[in-house]
Amino acid sequence: MLNVPSQSFPAPRSQQRVASGGRSKVPLKQGRSLMDWIRLTKSGKDLTGLKGRLIEVTEEELKKHNKKDDCWICIRGFVYNVSPYMEYHPGGEDELMRAAGSDGTELFDQVHRWVNYESMLKECLVGRMAIKPAVLKDYREEEKKVLNGMLPKSQVTDTRAKEGPSYPSYDWFQTNSLVTIAIYTKQKGINLDSIIVDHQDDSFRAETIIKDCLYLIHIGLSHEVQEDFSVRVVESVGKIEIVLKKKENTSWDFLGHPLENHNSLIPRKDTGTEIVKPYTPVSGSLLSEFKEPVLPNNKYIYFLIKIYHTGLFTPELDRLQIGDFVSVSSPEGNFKISKFQELEDLFLLAAGTGFTPMVKILNYALTDIPSLRKVKLIFFNKTEDDIIWRSQLEKLAFKDKRLDVEFVLSAPISEWNGKQGHISPALLSEFLKRNLDKSKVLVCICGPVPFTEQGVRLLQDLNFSKNEIHSFTA
């Protein structure tokens, strides 16, 4: 007979056992177990009170939510409404209330930092903090020491522009699986077209155009990250968030070490940067009566491009004249036309210039898919003036009764009679209804990264399978 040693959890001398400090659990009411909580999170009930929206939370706003029936807590830069979780928390309501309306990261790490709170509270996510979490103070001081050790003070100072915008800054925070680098440009109107992000092996580089200067962050990361990343811009405050995915779900002690010209503000004329920008070819028009122009050898291609006057790429593109040249690469992408075989319902979700891949899909689907019963397009924009090809879409919907088009605005004028708001469970459940219970359906979605990521999550919550969803990169 084997002599098996006794097991205990947490293990003796483990971080879990040390951190717990003898903390006792409280008895929970009937129907308030962990499995009951999991069932509640999967029920589709709005646990944030924001109807599916994610917001940026200021420190002042966070402080307002400090009561049991309205309790928000920040953990590593993410804010959660934990009020629905109060009665399910094994440590009791009083433990959660210790961090009510504040940054609870330090308290969380002291008590049970091994808990996968991201999964446990994902349906309670309110959004990200709009300012740097206080937990990062120690790292900021440490980085200053590293910078002074790696680069002479005079060298850092010399690279800064003598005249120009106020000097930017950056910070970082992390979860178990993600690292977010936040750049504070201190300039309103920064947009995605003015940012270049690249990483090779363990080297991370982000360049941002600020007026006539380029702000450069160049870091040798302390750990490996995956190839894909996302970039988000808050134009109203000039903040840029770059989200990297960790290769291993471990906690980083520091972001990395500075490389050449790290944290520098450099005149643009010295950059010499080559810019590559992906665009989706479109049809010349949505309407069949449009006549294609006759060009030599019948070789032409159409693009639908929004010009950003402060951007890196599109201003140069806008200045091109007939006879000028640009380099174009071979096409890329993973969308397969076989997805249309025997398709009965086609749903298209687009935000802003994310409408571009929908152009050819609409043309092809309405012309070449005999099994198609219904096509529905939800087109999200900020204002009416931002709606691309509105008149053509309305004419096409009038001409082909299989097509329904719904425009949704986030900042409409008072006279707007259509739908308004952002992508949400209520809006999608109202609009995305199959013709038949078992009809073959495809949902295509494209827009800014936060829009697409949230849209895919909502679609899965509405019981659309992964095979029925295709997301494009805007």
Side-chain angles (χ1 to χ4, degrees), residues 24 43-44 59 77 90 105 157 200 217 264 267 275 297 299 309 314 316 323 341 402 453:
S24 60
S43 67
E59 187 174 359
T105 306
T157 304
Q200 296 180 351
I217 292 177
S264 300
I275 303 171
N297 302 320
K299 294 179 180 178
H309 296 293
T314 56
E316 298 298 324
Q341 289 181 0
R402 293 175 298 171
E453 290 180 346

Side-chain angles (χ1 to χ4, degrees), residues 89-108:
H89 184 233
E93 297 178 357
D94 291 341
E95 279 294 307
L96 286 177
M97 289 303 297
R98 291 172 63 191
S102 65
D103 190 326
T105 306
E106 185 175 352
L107 180 62
F108 175 84

